[in-house]
């Protein structure tokens, strides 16, 4: 896949909830307007949900 936005590397961290609040807000605003990040988020969401589901200690939650 051709990737035209350097910030797509942040998508997985965003979905996993490991960004600092300021970073999360900033990336959220960026993703609202970036087609590449929106696509990356859409592609990663099922995988991050699957990762979260194998964690049974409830230490972190994924949307
Ligand atoms: Zn982007």
């Amino acid at each position: 896949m051709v990737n035209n936005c350097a910030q797509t590397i942040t998508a997985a961290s965003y979905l996993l909830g490991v960004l600092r609040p300021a970073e999360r807000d900033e990336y959220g605003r960026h993703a609202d307007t970036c087609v590449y990040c929106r696509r990356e988020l859409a592609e990663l969401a099922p995988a991050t949900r699957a990762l979260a589901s194998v964690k049974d200690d409830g230490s972190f939650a994924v949307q």
Side-chain angles (χ1 to χ4, degrees):
M1 183 179 80
V2 177
N3 184 345
N4 290 303
C5 176
Q7 293 197 51
T8 55
I9 60 172
T10 307
S13 297
Y14 178 80
L15 288 169
L16 289 168
V18 297
L19 295 177
R20 290 177 298 183
E23 293 173 325
R24 183 180 174 86
D25 288 349
E26 183 178 343
Y27 184 74
R29 283 194 299 273
H30 168 77
D32 277 346
T33 60
C34 177
V35 63
Y36 303 106
C37 286
R38 289 168 70 100
R39 186 172 60 192
E40 188 79 359
L41 288 170
E43 289 180 355
L44 289 175
T48 53
R49 277 198 293 271
L51 283 172
S53 71
V54 301
K55 292 225 169 205
D56 60 9
D57 63 2
S59 61
F60 76 94
V62 173
Q63 293 178 357

